[in-house]
Amino acid sequence: MNDADDMATALRGLGYATTLVTDGSLDAMNEGLRQFLRDADGASAATIFYAGHGVQGNGKNFLIPGDAVVRD
């Protein structure tokens, strides 16, 4: 969570609008991404910073939400 907070603070200091989600459930992550896309519409630059866990399976990458139950 500290990495995400620090990055959001740094980007805000540079004048960027930020959408911060910490310890997000799948629903919270999806809503954060939807809000980001709405806010970024028409922007000349947009960045997503993800400080969390992810996995790769069968050549596909997945971000792990805070409420995930990973069995395999």
Side-chain angles (χ1 to χ4, degrees):
M1 189 177 329
N2 291 336
D3 290 345
D5 287 333
D6 290 347
M7 184 61 77
T9 298
L11 289 170
R12 286 183 192 122
L14 294 171
Y16 284 88
T18 62
T19 303
L20 177 63
V21 176
T22 56
D23 289 333
S25 64
L26 178 59
D27 288 342
M29 286 176 62
N30 284 333
E31 180 53 35
L33 286 169
R34 283 190 289 272
Q35 184 62 49
F36 169 79
L37 292 171
R38 286 189 294 269
D39 293 344
D41 187 37
S44 61
T47 300
I48 293 177
F49 176 80
Y50 178 77
H53 296 285
V55 295
Q56 183 182 56
N58 297 323
K60 295 183 180 181
N61 296 303
F62 301 90
L63 306 179
I64 309 284
D67 63 350
V69 177
V70 180
R71 292 184 176 87
D72 293 331

